[in-house]
Amino acid sequence: QIKTDGTIGNRFTVEGGWTTEPGSLPGLFGKTVEMPEHIKNRLKDYFTGSGSSETDPYLITNAAQLARLAELVNSDDEAIREEYNDKYYLLTADIDLSDYGKNYREGKGWIPIGKDGSTPFRGDFEGGGHTITGLYINDETLNYAGLFGCIENDGSVQNLGLEDVNITGQDYVGGLV
């Protein structure tokens, strides 16, 4: 959250004397503080499993982890994208995405995994026969609107169900992809 919200929930503001910048810690006197390596590397500990094979995939057990997958695959930082893309993922439970619905992102809802052609999902996502409910996107300017926005040719999603889906987008709109 520090990486995406340079103000950490508006606790560190310019009015309060702080300088903020996404990807850095807040600082004083017009300077931010570089993010320490132990915080940067904390991303590696977010999922169980190594993601290196079908027999040792990253395990997705809840909505927050699925949202984190979207954040990592869509990252502006190419090193992070490469670390978490082209990997194996296994959904281990049914997931309700309603926390990422109408009250998320100023009413726009879910951010697709692989948000566009420049940041496609290239991994293998095994749904394990589970269902994701409450997928909501309401962004008429969004292309590639779905649980997954854009999947590159060598990526795959299988054995996954969706229920209670409500998506409004511009072009390339679907439920799953």
Side-chain angles (χ1 to χ4, degrees):
Q1 289 175 337
I2 291 172
K3 206 166 182 179
T4 58
D5 176 14
T7 66
I8 311 176
N10 290 320
R11 288 176 186 83
F12 297 93
T13 62
V14 173
E15 296 80 24
W18 294 93
T19 301
T20 62
E21 178 180 298
S24 298
L25 294 173
L28 296 170
F29 311 111
K31 295 184 180 183
T32 60
V33 177
E34 185 176 335
M35 188 78 65
E37 280 302 313
H38 71 278
I39 292 176
K40 287 181 187 176
N41 290 333
R42 179 81 176 117
L43 292 172
K44 294 178 182 176
D45 300 330
Y46 199 78
F47 301 110
T48 303
S50 72
S52 62
S53 68
E54 288 182 37
T55 58
D56 190 18
Y58 285 127
L59 302 179
I60 306 284
T61 62
N62 58 50
Q65 288 179 324
L66 194 61
R68 176 65 71 160
L69 173 59
E71 179 184 325
L72 296 168
V73 170
N74 298 336
S75 175
D76 291 334
D77 184 330
E78 188 173 344
I80 291 174
R81 278 197 321 267
E82 292 304 316
E83 186 170 346
Y84 286 93
N85 220 331
D86 200 19
K87 301 291 183 183
Y88 294 87
Y89 294 89
L90 173 63
L91 188 63
T92 63
D94 293 340
I95 292 181
D96 179 2
L97 288 179
S98 59
D99 285 346
Y100 298 89
K102 293 178 182 178
N103 297 321
Y104 184 67
R105 288 192 326 122
E106 300 173 353
K108 293 181 180 180
W110 178 254
I111 299 171
I113 301 166
K115 65 182 175 182
D116 57 36
S118 65
T119 58
F121 179 73
R122 295 188 322 263
D124 291 299
F125 191 94
E126 168 58 51
H130 294 286
T131 301
I132 294 177
T133 59
L135 174 60
Y136 177 87
I137 300 172
N138 184 19
D139 186 347
E140 294 178 355
T141 66
L142 181 66
N143 292 320
Y144 303 98
L147 179 65
F148 289 82
C150 184
I151 298 178
E152 202 166 78
N153 291 341
D154 51 352
S156 70
V157 178
Q158 55 200 12
N159 302 317
L160 177 64
L162 292 177
E163 291 180 3
D164 188 25
V165 175
N166 184 344
I167 299 176
T168 301
Q170 185 169 346
D171 292 321
Y172 310 109
V173 176
L176 185 59
V177 179

